[in-house]
Amino acid sequence: MLKYLSVLLYPFSLLYGLVMWVRNKLYDRGMLTAVEFDIPTIAAGNLSVGGTGKTPHVEYLIRLLKQQFQVATLSRGYNRRTSGYILADTTTTALEIGDEPMQFHQKYPDIRVAVGEERMLAIPQLLMDEPDTQVVLLDDAFQHRSIKPGMNILITEYNRRFTRDHVVPFGRLREGRNGYHRANCIIVSKCPPELSLSEKAAIEKEIAPLPHQQVFFTTLQYGAMYDLITQEPVSISPDTTVLLACGIARPEPLLDKLRSSFSQVYLLAFPDHYYYSEKDIAKIIRERDGLPGNKKMVVTTEKDAVRLHLLQKNLTEQNMQMAVMPIEIAFLFDGAERFNNFIFDYVGSFYPTANQ
């Protein structure tokens, strides 16, 4: 049945792909105007709909650049309950700016975090509010053609590479595969840590990077878990039964990580970018209590944590402990130094006296 449904969707994919192709051609030929800015602007995004691991890559860029430059992030603020331009401050919540920007704001309070659907208008407003900003990281802006970033970073997932995908709704691509031509570099994310040199070469051949493009490979790394409310480290013994409660696009890598550490792991999945209610907390408690074993723990992601913080009072009243699993990326094949230099060469071209 699903196979036949997919066939029925294919004509709609062709139509949508054609619309996106025409749109991109209009931008490429200058018939639609893209605005450039005189400070470094780095866009990190993907061709597919969610799940490529974009957020930890943006965080890598934040950590890389914030020691030497005044960094700001600008996101659309997906699924927030507001609209328009907002610059995060000490009173901001995930409801106002969305979960991913809120995660940046909480983890890196020394950078600026802004949201705005119309990035062409939001960047000037951001620079007016924070005139000492030196680098703007554009989160999920690969298809936002009204801005021409100085650098485009395209992220594609190892198990769902854009080279093997199709345009929505038949596939998961937001535009045709040739959109990768706009990228300055391509990152293959969520690779197995033991990825071989021969497979690396095969993937590079499959991607067929253009002469100006570099290809990098990253894998996920998980940090020490901490308490959602207290932020204190949490130690969980291997014989604990774990319930992973999360609303993310692709929980499978985290599930695999937990299953490698604990003998019994269960998943309670919510929609991506989901805002939890008190009823959901009660459901999580019921699911946890119904699991086998004497020792039980609920684990969630950092992205979920910023949404669950909205229910902090309820969690405290329920005496509900949740452990947060932080996530980072690591470059394979000694690619970190090459990538860092690639980024610093671009940003440094605007600030020749910067100490690299």
Side-chain angles (χ1 to χ4, degrees), residues 228-230 307-317:
L228 180 99
I229 303 299
T230 67
R307 288 177 262 122
L308 285 162
H309 266 290
L310 297 168
L311 297 169
Q312 182 171 340
K313 181 179 178 182
N314 180 261
L315 290 168
T316 302
E317 290 174 350

Side-chain angles (χ1 to χ4, degrees), residues 15 39 55 75 77 145 148 177-178 276 310 312-313 351:
L15 179 60
I39 68 167
T55 300
S75 311
R145 297 296 306 273
K148 185 177 180 181
R177 298 172 188 173
N178 283 344
Y276 297 89
L310 297 168
Q312 182 171 340
K313 181 179 178 182
Y351 309 107

Side-chain angles (χ1 to χ4, degrees), residues 101-114:
M102 191 64 198
Q103 183 174 321
F104 302 151
H105 184 48
Q106 285 186 344
K107 292 181 70 174
Y108 308 103
D110 51 343
I111 72 164
R112 289 88 168 168
V113 174

Side-chain angles (χ1 to χ4, degrees), residues 39-277:
I39 68 167
T41 50
I42 302 174
N46 47 45
L47 290 178
S48 64
V49 181
T52 60
K54 173 181 55 62
T55 300
H57 286 82
V58 174
E59 290 190 355
Y60 182 95
L61 289 168
I62 292 171
R63 292 191 300 272
L64 178 67
L65 292 167
K66 74 185 187 72
Q67 301 303 320
Q68 297 185 39
F69 303 98
Q70 297 293 333
V71 175
T73 65
L74 177 60
S75 311
R76 177 180 56 167
Y78 180 78
N79 207 29
R80 58 185 168 128
R81 299 296 186 259
T82 59
S83 61
Y85 169 83
I86 296 176
L87 180 65
D89 59 27
T90 55
T91 66
T92 302
T93 70
L95 286 172
E96 296 170 279
I97 63 174
D99 53 4
E100 292 171 359
M102 191 64 198
Q103 183 174 321
F104 302 151
H105 184 48
Q106 285 186 344
K107 292 181 70 174
Y108 308 103
D110 51 343
I111 72 164
R112 289 88 168 168
V113 174
V115 295
E117 299 89 344
E118 298 296 330
R119 293 173 175 89
M120 181 173 60
L121 302 176
I123 289 181
Q125 184 63 57
L126 171 62
L127 298 179
M128 185 180 301
D129 291 341
E130 300 290 344
D132 58 342
T133 299
Q134 295 176 294
V135 183
V136 177
L137 302 178
L138 299 170
D139 179 30
D140 198 16
F142 198 79
Q143 284 77 35
H144 201 88
R145 297 296 306 273
S146 63
I147 288 179
K148 185 177 180 181
M151 177 174 288
N152 253 321
I153 298 175
L154 175 64
I155 304 167
T156 186
E157 187 182 354
Y158 168 81
N159 282 322
R160 292 186 174 184
R161 298 192 286 275
F162 71 88
T163 49
R164 303 179 178 186
D165 208 343
H166 301 274
V167 174
V168 296
F170 184 72
R172 294 174 54 84
L173 297 184
R174 301 173 178 179
E175 59 176 295
R177 298 172 188 173
N178 283 344
Y180 89 95
H181 291 175
R182 299 197 305 276
N184 298 94
C185 77
I186 300 163
I187 297 177
V188 183
S189 66
K190 298 186 180 180
C191 295
E194 66 280 3
L195 185 70
S196 67
L197 286 170
S198 60
E199 188 174 7
K200 169 182 178 289
I203 293 172
E204 289 175 330
K205 183 178 180 180
E206 180 181 312
I207 291 174
L210 302 177
H212 72 279
Q213 294 176 326
Q214 295 194 45
V215 180
F216 300 90
F217 296 80
T218 62
T219 189
L220 296 178
Q221 288 187 336
Y222 296 92
M225 286 188 275
Y226 59 89
D227 186 272
L228 180 99
I229 303 299
T230 67
Q231 308 291 301
E232 295 295 323
V234 173
S235 179
I236 307 176
S237 61
D239 59 341
T240 301
T241 300
V242 169
L243 174 66
L244 174 60
C246 64
I248 58 175
R250 295 268 290 148
E252 291 84 3
L254 180 51
L255 264 178
D256 291 341
K257 166 62 180 176
L258 292 171
R259 285 168 178 160
S260 70
S261 302
F262 305 99
S263 57
Q264 296 191 80
V265 178
Y266 298 84
L267 173 65
L268 178 58
F270 293 89
D272 195 16
H273 300 282
Y274 182 74
Y275 284 97
Y276 297 89
S277 67

